[in-house]
Amino acid sequence: MRRNKQVAQNRISILTLDDDPIITSTIQAYFQRSGYAVDVENDPNTAIERIRKGNYDILLLDFLMSPICGDQVVEEIRKFNTDLFIILLTGHKSMAPPIKTIRQLDIQGYYEKDDRFDQLELLVESCVKSIKQMRTIRDYQKELENAYMQTIETLRHVVETRDKETEGHSARVSALAAALAEKMGMTEKEVDQIRIAGLFHDIGKVGVPDSVLLKNGPLTKEEFQVIARHPVEGERILKAYAPFKEMLSVVRNHHERYDGSGYPDHLAGEEISLGARITAVADSFDAMMSKRVYRDGLGIEKTVSELIKGKNTQFDAGIVDLLLGMMEEIGKDKFQELYCACKG
């Protein structure tokens, strides 16, 4: 066998399952000679757990086994693994499960046992070609995703470095929003989504002209309309990347107000996603505490007063109370050290 074929096959891991140890040993020896990595298992239930915990590419399994048959094994595996390539081995074609069952369980083929393994090897080689194609596609997708993420991260830094006074704002909002979400008992996945959304919540400002973004004074009605487009633009930039799907509402709606007078969709109360309500409080806290071209930071006492005043109008009162509870728990100085650009 050619060396390049052996090298390719050495990357493929096979588990062979049969309640007859002689059959599994024979299959293992045959395919190891062809350059595959082959493990054997004779207990169907143990095989299911090995696949759950392991990293196999192909499963070769007998249909008639004890205590459960091959189709039942596949049914259990498909509950947690849809990528595994499976070839069902039968003593006689008449003993194989119906074609309908094979399709439903996504079994790639079945093989009628005999003294030679030529046909089985052809089936395995067909699976290997498909596996290699899938790996190539996934590697390419990962490269595209990495390139896209680098572009998005660059845009985020562009937004913040344009205005030195807001540099670090998104990182602080991200940290505080994630801490609030964790305090609320949200799942680890939900907390991570809010943390990432916080990092990118203002990315839509990349399209806002400097004359508006850096203006030293009140905005005109027209200028406000320009900057008020940034949540929609942020959503548009991020929605091209599938993993951001669950975070888009945070980016789009972090300027909504609890009383419905915010933008861009004029949502009210629990119409606003929980992540967006959390991020709105974290965003406003950091904005009030930070120095801007047109004003100094408000300081902790004034910021707390404004948060309380905004309960049930601008903010979800429960989230404000949670933030104030965190602040009381760890102390104002420590809270500012963790979540502010500077003490105030």
Side-chain angles (χ1 to χ4, degrees):
M1 183 174 291
R2 290 178 301 175
R3 178 174 173 77
N4 62 342
K5 185 175 181 180
Q6 289 178 327
V7 170
Q9 289 176 348
N10 280 331
R11 298 180 59 206
I12 301 298
S13 58
I14 297 174
L15 179 65
T16 178
L17 167 63
D18 196 303
D19 55 4
D20 184 341
I22 295 175
I23 292 177
T24 51
S25 296
T26 302
I27 291 175
Q28 181 184 43
Y30 180 87
F31 281 98
Q32 282 181 338
R33 285 197 300 270
S34 297
Y36 295 95
V38 186
D39 290 338
V40 301
E41 183 56 59
N42 304 116
D43 180 84
N45 290 313
T46 304
I48 292 170
E49 292 309 308
R50 288 183 68 168
I51 291 167
R52 190 192 305 273
K53 297 174 183 177
N55 187 28
Y56 292 105
D57 298 301
I58 299 172
L59 172 65
L60 309 177
L61 79 162
D62 190 27
F63 177 48
L64 293 178
M65 291 185 294
S66 177
I68 58 175
C69 289
D71 56 342
Q72 294 171 288
V73 173
V74 177
E75 188 175 357
E76 287 301 310
I77 290 171
R78 288 306 186 212
K79 292 177 181 178
F80 62 87
N81 186 327
T82 57
D83 292 334
L84 185 68
F85 281 72
I86 298 175
I87 299 174
L88 199 63
L89 279 58
T90 63
H92 301 281
K93 186 178 293 187
S94 61
M95 299 170 65
I99 291 295
K100 181 180 179 182
T101 300
I102 289 175
R103 287 174 176 163
Q104 286 176 340
L105 296 177
D106 193 23
I107 295 172
Q108 277 63 47
Y110 65 85
Y111 166 74
E112 187 175 346
K113 297 176 186 176
D114 60 27
D115 295 333
R116 295 167 59 93
F117 291 113
D118 300 32
Q119 282 298 120
L120 180 58
E121 186 169 11
L122 287 174
L123 286 172
V124 168
E125 288 180 359
S126 177
C127 290
V128 169
K129 288 178 183 177
S130 296
I131 290 167
K132 291 170 65 178
Q133 288 172 351
M134 286 173 56
R135 287 177 176 175
T136 300
I137 291 169
R138 285 175 179 171
D139 288 345
Y140 182 64
Q141 287 175 332
K142 187 174 289 186
E143 287 178 11
L144 289 177
E145 289 172 0
N146 288 340
Y148 185 76
M149 280 300 296
Q150 289 173 9
T151 301
I152 296 299
E153 185 67 11
T154 299
L155 289 176
R156 183 176 77 84
H157 285 298
V158 166
V159 170
E160 293 204 350
T161 54
R162 287 168 68 195
D163 181 1
K164 289 296 181 183
E165 292 185 346
T166 63
E167 194 167 2
H169 167 71
S170 293
R172 293 190 298 272
V173 170
S174 170
L176 179 53
L180 289 167
E182 191 171 358
K183 199 75 172 175
M184 293 182 76
M186 298 179 75
T187 66
E188 184 178 347
K189 180 180 178 182
E190 290 169 334
V191 172
D192 284 342
Q193 288 173 344
I194 288 173
R195 179 182 289 108
I196 295 169
L199 283 174
F200 296 110
H201 74 285
D202 274 343
I203 197 168
K205 287 182 179 178
V206 72
V208 178
D210 285 351
S211 59
V212 175
L213 188 66
L214 307 180
K215 185 175 180 181
N216 187 7
L219 299 176
T220 66
K221 181 179 178 180
E222 291 74 20
E223 288 169 337
F224 178 78
Q225 288 175 343
V226 171
I227 206 164
R229 289 285 303 167
H230 82 268
V232 176
E233 288 303 306
E235 179 192 42
R236 183 182 64 79
I237 291 169
L238 297 178
K239 71 180 180 181
Y241 184 40
F244 278 119
K245 181 180 178 181
E246 302 299 325
M247 312 169 205
L248 294 180
S249 67
V250 175
V251 175
R252 182 181 179 93
N253 298 129
H254 69 278
H255 279 296
E256 300 289 353
R257 293 173 58 103
Y258 204 73
D259 62 6
S261 64
Y263 61 87
D265 301 315
H266 308 295
L267 303 178
E270 294 189 5
E271 292 178 337
I272 308 165
S273 71
L274 180 57
R277 281 180 274 147
I278 291 171
T279 303
V281 172
D283 185 35
S284 295
F285 175 82
D286 187 73
M288 288 188 284
M289 287 295 295
S290 301
K291 187 180 186 303
R292 293 291 184 261
V293 291
Y294 52 87
R295 63 154 174 82
D296 290 329
L298 300 186
I300 192 65
E301 301 300 336
K302 178 65 173 173
T303 296
V304 167
S305 175
E306 290 296 315
L307 287 174
I308 293 171
K309 187 164 70 174
K311 287 164 64 171
N312 290 325
T313 53
Q314 184 173 356
F315 308 117
D316 182 325
I319 296 171
V320 172
D321 289 341
L322 185 66
L323 183 149
L324 298 179
M326 286 173 57
M327 188 181 296
E328 183 176 352
E329 183 180 339
I330 66 175
K332 288 181 179 178
D333 287 346
K334 183 64 175 178
F335 192 87
Q336 291 177 80
E337 182 183 324
L338 290 171
Y339 304 116
C340 300
C342 58
K343 293 185 179 182

